[in-house]
Amino acid sequence: MKTTILLFLVLVSTTLFAQENDGGIHTPNYCSIENTCLHLKFTSAPTSRGENQFVIHFLPHVDSDKIEILAAKLWMDMGNGHGHGSAPLKLSKLDEANHFLVKNAYFVMMGPWKVVINYSVNGKNELIEVPVEVSE
């Protein structure tokens, strides 16, 4: 049974992340109704053993779109109407266009998490949830 669960977690984690040539681990792209897309880039697989850092990379529908992050949080739904969050995330804009660094990201237990990102595009608020599997 433990082997089956371990195999399942490895399979799920490999489907949620794809290794890229630049040395990072990227999630697939997730898009809003308004066609703004984003993905997360981790330098290593997310872990419950300490602080995680990652980059949110927005892929705007139009290059001239002005994107600002309003808030981001980590959330684990426990399936019973309750869930677990994390300490407040520290967000900062990077020099590259539409890249935001996230620090102080603590996934406090293994399992399926969501990175919930509230942002604005040209002054209009949008929200995208990105699933993240924490297997260690």
Side-chain angles (χ1 to χ4, degrees):
M1 181 67 168
K2 288 181 183 178
T3 304
T4 303
I5 292 172
L6 181 60
L7 182 60
F8 172 75
L9 288 175
V10 169
L11 182 62
V12 168
S13 66
T14 57
T15 59
L16 291 178
F17 294 98
Q19 193 72 26
E20 296 287 329
N21 290 335
D22 63 4
I25 300 170
H26 294 242
T27 66
N29 290 339
Y30 291 88
C31 302
S32 70
I33 295 171
E34 301 295 324
N35 282 333
T36 300
C37 299
L38 64 84
H39 63 260
L40 308 179
K41 178 187 174 190
F42 290 83
T43 53
S44 59
T47 178
S48 63
R49 295 186 194 154
E51 181 186 10
N52 295 269
Q53 295 184 14
F54 56 92
V55 172
I56 301 171
H57 179 196
F58 286 93
L59 307 162
H61 180 64
V62 178
D63 285 341
S64 62
D65 283 348
K66 183 175 179 186
I67 296 175
E68 294 181 47
I69 288 189
L70 304 174
K73 69 177 183 178
L74 306 181
W75 187 254
M76 178 185 239
D77 186 4
M78 300 306 289
N80 57 3
H82 300 289
H84 289 286
S86 176
L89 301 175
K90 294 180 181 174
L91 305 168
S92 59
K93 185 164 178 45
L94 296 175
D95 289 339
E96 263 184 281
N98 301 316
H99 287 75
F100 296 84
L101 178 62
V102 179
K103 292 183 177 181
N104 203 41
Y106 290 91
F107 299 100
V108 295
M109 62 178 50
M110 295 186 304
W113 285 79
K114 294 178 188 174
V115 178
V116 182
I117 303 159
N118 184 355
Y119 62 98
S120 71
V121 178
N122 302 324
K124 182 177 179 186
N125 290 359
E126 297 187 14
L127 183 121
I128 293 180
E129 295 181 352
V130 179
V132 173
E133 183 68 32
V134 177
S135 58
E136 290 185 19

